[in-house]
Amino acid sequence: MGARPGSGRGQLFLRSLLFLLLAGPPAPRPAGGQLRYAVPEELEHGAFVANLGEDLGLDVSTLSARRFRIVSRAGARQHLEVNLENGILFVNERIDREEVCEAGGTCLLHLQLLVESPLELYRIEVEVLDINDHAPTFPWQEYVLEVAESAVLGARFPLESAQDPDMGTNSVHTYRLSPNGFFSLEVQTRSDASKFAELVLERTLDREQQCTHRVLLTALDGGVPERSGTAHILITVLDANDNVPAFDQPSYGVSLPEDAPAGTLVIQLNATDLDEGPNGEIEYSFSGHAPPRVRELFHIEPRSGQVLLKGPLDYERASLHELYVQAKDRGPSAVAVHCRVLVHLLDVNDNAPEVTLTSVSTPVLEDAPPGTVIAVISVLDRDSGDNGRVSCEVGPDVPFELRSSFRNYYTLVTTQALDREVVPEYNISITARDMGSPSLLTHSTLTVPVSDVNDNAPRFLQPSYSVYVMENNAPGASICSVSALDPDCQQNAYLSYSIADGHIHGMPVGTYVSINSDSGHMYALRSLDYEQIRSFQIQVQAQDAGFPPLSANVTVHIFVLDQNDNAPVIISPMPRNGSVATELVPRSAGPGYLVSTVSAVDADAGLNSRLSYQLLQATDFTLFSVAPDTGELRTLRSFLEQDATRQRLVVQVRDGGQPALSATVSLLLSVVETMPQTLSDFSEFSLPPEASSSSPLTLYLLVSLGSISFTFLLAILILTAIRCRGEHHSCRGDGCSRPRCHCCPGSRPSPDSLKTSNLTVQPPTGATAATCLDVPGGGPPGYCYKVCLGPESAQSDFMFLKPCSPARNNEKDLRKQPRLDQHLHVSKQIKQPNMDRLPPSTQRPALKRY
């Protein structure tokens, strides 16, 4: 076992002092407009916490005269105190965190500081930090665990949990198991972050070889220094019981009011066992995971499985109880099965608010300005939720109001000038009411005498007015009435009402409402539209006829209520041809296939804009459905062969107004075998003339295609003209010399004659430009062949014939023959053209090959 709690107050003091030296002095931290300090628990009397005089900016020399003190409830323990000589907050008595904050979590001490002359209220929080002053402890020093020898590998056996009153890292952090050859240990975490251990069977048990096993379970916390506690576990190996009980479900949940009496049935558990006789008789009990608090509050009937309430519940202490129940049969080698029962407590309004008058400043002068603090009032309700939410109010017809300075703290202030001649003394009734059902309330009376000052002014019955006007109202109708009182008499008591100058949406306020100066009735001058203006406020003034006149103002909030005057507007799907919307549906679509989604909007608000969708008409109602909330159109079944390929649907969109307004949309669905990329199936639904003729995309495509075609043709014509012109100049300027071509007059050859030509030409080695070769004597009389080849076009089959003058060519050929022999080498074997396919002798074209 580790060190036990409370081993010595001197050691606790030394640990706390070491904690303070390491952490440094507690610095104030603002938390929502208040100071917050941190102090470890177990500090001795007089330990320093904070310098409130310095942190609050107070004059230390005046603390005693101004009665600087800590305000606490009657009977509450005063853990902290303030030294009035230096303003230091110190420890008045030893703080045990586990005693002050039983519920765990962050432990805060809320202090209310009060100083008078003038009256000021401060609120601070002191967080009590946990120290590792407790070691984990087990309920028993030795446990007996019975395990059947037939238990399978990996079987889990929950163990009793160790308890550590410390919190956070100082609580139980992990478990350790002494080395053994049969079991391992796994640490699990509950929903509240607490730890528990389970034995896991790692090796098959054999009772005949070893009937008992002893292991040591150690629980360790995460504190510094680390503390631990141990328990011995005796594992007895039993003969096999081949069936174990089984619960209906692994976890149960139940709700129970906190004021349920003892003996109330919480839940009836049911587990079944397939065995017979004692092996099938089930006994219920709490498992080792159940904390002591659960065992104090609940009881389990061993034979029936009923969970009964044993002790009083308190929602304010714990709102959830986690019960771990085990069930096992009565046969030999019984194996326990476990389930979890979550008991959620329901808060009951069983605590009335408590009202405390912290400080009272009386009497009050009659001419005290509005907002003068009369008293500080604190309210407290120990319930939670609405049951603990408290509203504090004063009685009617008094010139005082409550203002909330902190949560559950109010200051009673004056709202207007007082008149001692009318009311020399006020008995103010303060009512604190919670929001529970039924509501609980507490009354408290405060007597405030008024000192005389001769001054009276008009006073409205309410600090502000809220008026609700239905839109589309009739102009000139009365919407509300404001009223003020003046305790004076005769002319000084005659009041007249008026509306202060102002603007509403850029328009003078006088164009919206008017007021009767005598009665205070207000009238709407125009019909209001909720979609244009939803609320506005005006200032109404009441003025008496005295001299000098006195007046008072009040704010009137006018809220415009919505009427269902706007029908839904369908935004999708949009009609394709101006009449119906079209969609494609594959025939292979199964049930639930999303065909389309109908979307609509409504300019109204609230229920008037809540839209619902329904299928109004359909070719086959068994084929489609519409989601009433989302407007999704889905298939109800798969398509059959006899289903029509055209399905016409009408979907209605209806708002929630009274009376309801609606809109419809028609959809034409086409069932197709496959989903095409274009809507070719809808070609029969021709577009209107204006849609087909004014499409900008079509116009852009036509213009682009025409421009490209025109440019291409123009380029071809220009290139052809330039080439023909260049060849014409070449032939006229140089003539038809023999090395270049033999030109003879005549017409162009026929295409058939060109096909018969078969020339074999060998260009010069290394030639890169086109080469033109002359073939003398290779053809019939009167013809010359001009062969032009590029470096990569020796096998080209394109030939062109060009006529030219033969006489000039012959003369130039004779003179230029030597130059041709210097540059070109022509093969001696030149195939002759087919003479049968040559053109007549009168046609003398030149043959050109590229």
Side-chain angles (χ1 to χ4, degrees), residues 470-473 527-533 560-569 602-605 607-609 655-662:
M470 188 68 67
E471 67 171 329
N472 304 321
N473 60 297
S527 180
L528 301 177
D529 189 353
Y530 176 84
E531 285 71 33
Q532 294 182 0
I533 180 171
V560 182
L561 303 180
D562 183 40
Q563 276 188 339
N564 192 21
D565 54 351
N566 292 278
V569 177
D602 196 312
D604 292 323
L607 289 176
N608 295 331
S609 63
D655 61 25
Q658 293 294 333
L661 301 178
S662 62

Side-chain angles (χ1 to χ4, degrees), residues 595-612:
V595 179
S596 180
T597 300
V598 180
S599 300
V601 295
D602 196 312
D604 292 323
L607 289 176
N608 295 331
S609 63
R610 184 174 298 174
L611 303 179
S612 62

Side-chain angles (χ1 to χ4, degrees), residues 730-776:
S730 175
C731 203
R732 293 184 59 184
D734 298 335
C736 293
S737 61
R738 188 172 189 83
R740 297 185 179 181
C741 68
H742 290 275
C743 300
C744 301
S747 60
R748 293 178 178 269
S750 64
D752 296 335
S753 64
L754 297 179
K755 296 179 182 179
T756 59
S757 64
N758 188 7
L759 301 180
T760 302
V761 181
Q762 181 178 359
T765 303
T768 60
T771 306
C772 297
L773 301 180
D774 177 53
V775 186

